[in-house]
Amino acid sequence: MAKRTVYHVTKADDGWKVKKEHGERASLVTDTKAEAVAGAKGLAKNAPGPSQVKIHKEDGVIQTEYTYGNDP
């Protein structure tokens, strides 16, 4: 079974960030949430195997999730 790659879009001090789950650093930092979401979707679509994007509200609660690839 292929491991799923998960990216989180969360509020950062200086905008919005995209961070791979269990990663130490942000993959992308943007000024707007829309830019971060678009960047996360691009990373997820190009990830090997199944992937997922979890978009959080400013308070940290998950707002929306997108799944890409063949995820059982």
Side-chain angles (χ1 to χ4, degrees):
M1 176 186 252
K3 186 175 179 181
R4 181 181 335 166
T5 303
V6 180
Y7 294 95
H8 292 268
V9 176
T10 57
K11 181 73 174 136
D13 294 334
D14 53 350
W16 290 83
K17 67 181 176 182
V18 176
K19 187 175 174 190
K20 190 174 180 179
E21 194 165 87
H22 306 295
E24 293 185 24
R25 297 182 350 201
S27 301
L28 178 66
V29 178
T30 65
D31 292 331
T32 67
K33 186 175 185 178
E35 291 172 325
V37 169
K41 286 180 176 182
L43 289 168
K45 287 177 184 178
N46 290 314
S51 60
Q52 190 172 34
V53 175
K54 294 185 179 185
I55 302 166
H56 298 257
K57 297 179 185 180
E58 285 192 38
D59 63 4
V61 174
I62 294 175
Q63 176 182 359
T64 308
E65 296 181 29
Y66 295 98
T67 302
Y68 301 94
N70 189 12
D71 188 21

